[in-house]
């Protein structure tokens, strides 16, 4: 990217605007900033970033935590503040145009910001596709107006954008780059202090990172675990608590299951999954990590009745779990809402614990998916951004 022929000077990037809205975006942003700094050591980066980005001399104009709101009600409560932040960022980047502006995830916040900045003549990219292929597909029209380049994590997203004439590059996922193709199960067990006999199986329980998820799934998971022990007595269950609040919530629930062989671990879901033979988990992005760790899994989800009725009418995808979405077929069970009963979950877990042939076949599929996502994401994202800027320079004649 540094040379474009003898008559064309090397690409120069002096300033980049980036806005991320939560910790996962900070991870992606830090990787991208590090790679762009390697190529353009004098480049300055500013906008909104987290601690990983700030450690790379990224200048945050606002605290990232102010954007980290989830759900339906909380964003409405914070709407005046969020609109004020977006207005100030829009004014700043239009008055001081960067070479490129990159929104990382946080689509409800970033896409409108990107659209305004792009209309002012600044090239824009968006990193991490919203789930437009699954629901609210009409958003692709706004994306087309807002971005010059969409950077996706998954190959199946790439074809959707190409069909809608949006410039797109699949860069893979940083987790696929970071997680070994052959995970170290015994090392994870040692890390967690698990002393497991050869006859014992370890089942990881991940009921979610939000209070509502643990409320709807926690007791169901523990009841399913109890049913499993009636059929397969040599099981050790390990529960991952996402934070201190979830730890308190889970420990309160476990008081009703004193006979269950349980170990609760705080903030170490990676090791909990790596140590397991099978994982029972709430639907979400963590299912990708379980896939990359090559773990058989049962995906479950429950929510408030009204929310479920609304969501099931909006979602067009046949699957919700990333393993099934990435495979284009059902690799692992998805037990949603009324199907997420202790009996159904226990049956699915039992089958996985006893069917070695199924597990071997599943892990072979996982390995193929892992390889398809292992694209050196930081480098691939930087390459795509540089290619966009080189093309624009050649068209508009700007160095």
């Amino acid at each position: 990217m540094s040379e474009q022929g003898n008559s064309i000077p090397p690409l120069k990037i002096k300033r980049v605007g980036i806005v991320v809205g939560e910790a996962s975006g900070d991870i992606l942003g830090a990787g991208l900033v590090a790679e762009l700094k390697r190529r353009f050591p004098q480049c300055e980066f500013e906008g909104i970033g987290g601690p990983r980005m700030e450690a790379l001399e990224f200048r945050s104009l606002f605290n990232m935590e102010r954007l980290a709101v989830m759900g339906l009600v909380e964003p409405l409560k914070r709407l005046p503040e969020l609109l004020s932040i977006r207005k100030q960022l829009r004014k700043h980047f239009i008055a001081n145009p960067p070479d490129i502006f990159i929104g990382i995830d946080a689509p409800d916040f970033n896409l409108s910001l990107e659209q305004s900045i792009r209309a002012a003549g600044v090239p824009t990219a968006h990193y991490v596709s919203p789930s437009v292929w699954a629901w609210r597909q009409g958003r692709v029209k706004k994306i087309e107006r807002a971005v010059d380049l969409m950077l996706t994590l998954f190959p199946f997203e790439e074809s959707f954008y190409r069909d809608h004439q949006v410039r797109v590059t699949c860069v893979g996922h940083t987790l696929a780059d970071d997680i070994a193709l052959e995970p170290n199960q015994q090392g994870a067990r040692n890390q967690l202090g698990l002393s497991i006999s050869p006859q014992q199986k370890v089942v990881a329980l991940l009921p979610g990172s939000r209070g509502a998820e643990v409320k709807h799934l926690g007791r169901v998971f523990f009841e399913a675990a109890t049913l499993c022990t009636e059929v397969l007595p040599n099981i050790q269950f390990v529960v991952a608590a996402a934070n201190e609040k979830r730890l308190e919530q889970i420990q309160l629930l476990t008081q009703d299951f004193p006979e269950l062989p349980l170990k609760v671990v705080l903030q170490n879901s990676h090791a909990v999954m790596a140590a397991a033979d099978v994982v029972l988990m709430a639907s979400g992005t963590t299912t990708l990590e379980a896939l990359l760790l090559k773990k058989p899994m049962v995906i479950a989800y429950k929510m408030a009745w009204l929310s479920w009725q609304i969501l099931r009418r909006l979602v067009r995808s046949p699957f919700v779990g990333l393993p099934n979405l990435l495979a284009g077929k059902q690799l692992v069970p998805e037990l949603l809402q009324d199907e997420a009963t202790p009996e159904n979950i226990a049956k699915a877990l039992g089958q996985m614990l006893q069917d070695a042939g199924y597990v071997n076949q599943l892990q072979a599929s996982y390995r193929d998916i892992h390889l398809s996502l292992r694209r050196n994401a930081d480098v691939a994202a930087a390459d795509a951004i540089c290619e966009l800027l080189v093309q624009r320079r050649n068209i508009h004649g700007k160095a």
Side-chain angles (χ1 to χ4, degrees):
M1 276 305 155
S2 61
E3 296 290 344
Q4 302 297 320
N6 293 332
S7 61
I8 302 177
L11 177 68
K12 294 179 181 179
I13 301 180
K14 299 177 182 178
R15 194 161 149 271
V16 175
I18 302 178
V19 169
V20 307
E22 57 184 45
S24 60
D26 186 34
I27 294 171
L28 297 176
L32 179 57
V33 168
E35 179 58 27
L36 288 173
K37 281 177 74 73
R38 185 186 68 79
R39 301 181 189 200
F40 308 101
Q42 304 306 314
C43 186
E44 297 179 352
F45 299 84
E46 65 175 3
I48 298 180
R52 290 178 176 85
M53 294 168 68
E54 289 173 343
L56 296 169
E57 299 180 335
F58 182 94
R59 186 167 77 98
S60 278
L61 305 176
F62 298 91
N63 191 316
M64 184 186 74
E65 295 300 319
R66 304 315 301 162
L67 302 191
V69 291
M70 306 182 78
L72 297 174
V73 177
E74 186 62 23
L76 292 176
K77 292 179 180 178
R78 298 266 305 283
L79 187 59
E81 180 189 5
L82 293 171
L83 290 176
S84 174
I85 291 173
R86 189 162 66 188
K87 181 179 179 180
Q88 291 177 72
L89 288 170
R90 181 188 300 119
K91 183 178 179 181
H92 174 78
F93 284 119
I94 290 175
N96 306 279
D99 293 292
I100 187 166
F101 177 84
I102 305 162
I104 300 182
D105 213 352
D108 291 330
F109 186 92
N110 271 327
L111 286 173
S112 292
L113 182 59
E114 289 159 6
Q115 186 172 343
S116 299
I117 292 173
R118 188 188 189 205
V122 177
T124 59
H126 190 86
Y127 193 175
V128 184
S129 170
S131 301
V132 287
W133 37 267
W135 69 304
R136 291 172 60 199
Q137 292 194 0
R139 288 179 293 172
V140 74
K141 300 288 187 184
K142 183 173 186 177
I143 291 169
E144 186 178 1
R145 296 191 299 270
V147 305
D148 293 289
L149 171 67
M150 174 63 71
L151 299 172
T152 72
L153 306 182
F154 307 121
F156 70 86
E157 297 172 315
E158 200 171 27
S159 57
F160 176 86
Y161 284 104
R162 288 217 171 96
D163 290 344
H164 289 85
Q165 288 76 53
V166 175
R167 179 169 179 156
V168 61
T169 299
C170 176
V171 301
H173 203 292
T174 52
L175 278 177
D177 298 326
D178 295 341
I179 294 176
L181 287 173
E182 302 296 334
N184 184 353
Q185 183 182 62
Q186 189 57 52
R189 291 180 175 184
N190 293 342
Q191 180 184 341
L192 296 175
L194 296 177
S195 181
I196 305 298
S197 70
Q199 293 76 32
Q200 278 186 299
K201 296 290 186 180
V202 176
V203 176
L205 305 178
L206 282 78
S209 60
R210 305 174 194 173
E213 290 173 331
V214 176
K215 176 184 175 182
H216 288 294
L217 291 173
R219 184 170 296 277
V220 174
F221 280 17
F222 293 147
E223 289 175 354
T226 301
L227 292 175
C228 284
T229 59
E230 294 174 1
V231 180
L232 299 166
N234 289 320
I235 301 180
Q236 170 70 50
F237 295 95
V238 186
V239 189
N243 51 50
E244 292 282 357
K245 288 185 177 180
R246 298 296 79 76
L247 177 64
E248 293 175 11
Q249 198 175 3
I250 288 167
Q251 287 177 331
L252 191 62
L253 277 171
T254 60
Q255 293 176 12
D256 293 337
F257 301 88
E259 304 301 320
L260 204 57
L262 275 174
K263 181 181 179 72
V264 183
V265 176
L266 175 63
Q267 292 179 331
N268 204 346
S269 61
H270 181 94
V272 169
M273 288 188 287
D277 295 293
V278 176
V279 178
L280 169 61
M281 64 197 314
S283 177
T285 54
T286 315
T287 59
L288 175 66
E289 194 170 1
L291 178 156
L292 296 171
L293 290 167
K294 315 301 182 299
K295 299 303 174 180
M297 73 186 86
V298 177
I299 298 171
Y301 210 79
K302 292 173 77 76
M303 61 178 66
W305 181 86
L306 182 58
S307 297
W308 171 254
Q309 295 303 318
I310 294 171
L311 191 63
R312 67 194 291 263
R313 286 165 172 78
L314 293 175
V315 174
R316 298 190 178 188
S317 170
F319 307 114
V320 300
L322 281 170
N324 297 334
L325 286 167
L326 289 165
K329 61 181 180 180
Q330 185 164 319
L331 288 182
V332 299
E334 295 182 0
L335 300 172
L336 310 178
Q337 205 62 9
D338 292 341
E339 293 182 353
T341 64
E343 294 77 14
N344 287 345
I345 292 171
K347 181 180 178 181
L349 288 174
Q351 289 172 342
M352 289 187 173
L353 288 167
Q354 298 177 86
D355 190 343
Y358 164 78
V359 170
N360 290 337
Q361 187 176 17
L362 180 65
Q363 290 174 332
S365 298
Y366 284 170
R367 184 181 177 87
D368 290 341
I369 294 172
H370 192 157
L371 289 169
S372 77
L373 298 178
R374 189 174 255 201
R375 302 187 180 202
N376 202 350
D378 298 336
V379 171
D383 281 346
I385 287 165
C386 290
E387 286 168 10
L388 170 68
L389 294 179
V390 165
Q391 185 180 72
R392 284 179 62 93
R393 181 189 64 178
N394 293 342
I395 292 172
H396 298 293
K398 296 179 180 180

